[in-house]
Amino acid sequence: MNELQIHLLFNHVPVIGVMAATLMVVIGIVTKQSAVRSAGLIVYILFALAVVPTYVSGEGAEERVEHITGIDEHALEEHEDMSIISLWATLAAAAIALGAFVTNYRGNSSARAFTLAFVVVAVLANIHIGLTAHEGGKIRRPDLQTATSEHEH
């Protein structure tokens, strides 16, 4: 399996997984169900780890496609630039999720603050990772570029 295949295999996992896990945490907070909140935090951490092989395989994936006719070089560069921010934002949210889980498990009074901090950082990471994925889609899908441009005018 080459880096392009690895990138394509993993690239949707963190996008969908971290969004679903963030939603689980929010549902757990709103319904005051500690088990749902805790499960969401653990699920987030697990799905967030998928950003690592996605990011690491990105350079090799780029090298395999950058010379193919129809590849949008600008979108490729934008996707690459955005991906490092998505990587660190998602991993930062995962670290906060771990802190929230541990403090909640131990009954520490800072658990609520950790959980709320997680939600804020995770929502921002979700937005950025979604934008990064969209930019990645534009690399090979010129219709996404057109759709974006039409909505901007």
Side-chain angles (χ1 to χ4, degrees), residues 38-52:
S38 294
L41 293 167
I42 295 301
V43 170
Y44 187 96
I45 293 165
L46 296 174
F47 277 112
L49 294 176
V51 299
V52 176

Side-chain angles (χ1 to χ4, degrees), residues 73-153:
E73 185 67 33
H74 175 72
L76 191 61
E77 294 303 320
E78 284 293 313
H79 179 65
E80 182 179 13
D81 292 345
M82 293 174 75
S83 67
I84 189 71
I85 298 167
S86 291
L87 171 75
W88 289 112
T90 304
L91 292 177
I96 298 168
L98 180 61
F101 179 80
V102 170
T103 55
N104 185 58
Y105 180 77
R106 292 182 178 170
N108 192 308
S109 62
S110 62
R112 180 175 168 79
F114 261 106
T115 303
L116 294 177
F118 161 76
V119 170
V120 170
V121 174
V123 166
L124 294 173
N126 277 303
I127 291 168
H128 200 276
I129 203 169
L131 293 170
T132 302
H134 179 68
E135 202 62 41
K138 292 193 296 187
I139 293 169
R140 187 67 174 182
R141 298 277 315 269
D143 55 315
L144 292 176
Q145 184 70 36
T146 304
T148 303
S149 297
E150 288 173 1
H151 290 307
E152 290 175 354
H153 297 292

Side-chain angles (χ1 to χ4, degrees), residues 4-104:
L4 176 58
Q5 292 167 323
I6 292 168
H7 193 71
L8 292 173
L9 175 68
F10 278 98
N11 69 7
H12 294 95
V13 174
V15 176
I16 303 301
V18 298
M19 286 182 187
T22 303
L23 183 59
M24 281 179 68
V25 174
V26 170
I27 289 170
I29 292 169
V30 170
T31 61
K32 298 182 184 207
Q33 294 182 23
S34 179
V36 173
R37 185 179 64 237
S38 294
L41 293 167
I42 295 301
V43 170
Y44 187 96
I45 293 165
L46 296 174
F47 277 112
L49 294 176
V51 299
V52 176
T54 303
Y55 179 79
V56 170
S57 62
E59 188 65 34
E62 177 186 15
E63 289 173 8
R64 292 186 69 92
V65 302
E66 65 188 346
H67 300 294
I68 297 174
T69 303
I71 294 297
D72 185 333
E73 185 67 33
H74 175 72
L76 191 61
E77 294 303 320
E78 284 293 313
H79 179 65
E80 182 179 13
D81 292 345
M82 293 174 75
S83 67
I84 189 71
I85 298 167
S86 291
L87 171 75
W88 289 112
T90 304
L91 292 177
I96 298 168
L98 180 61
F101 179 80
V102 170
T103 55
N104 185 58

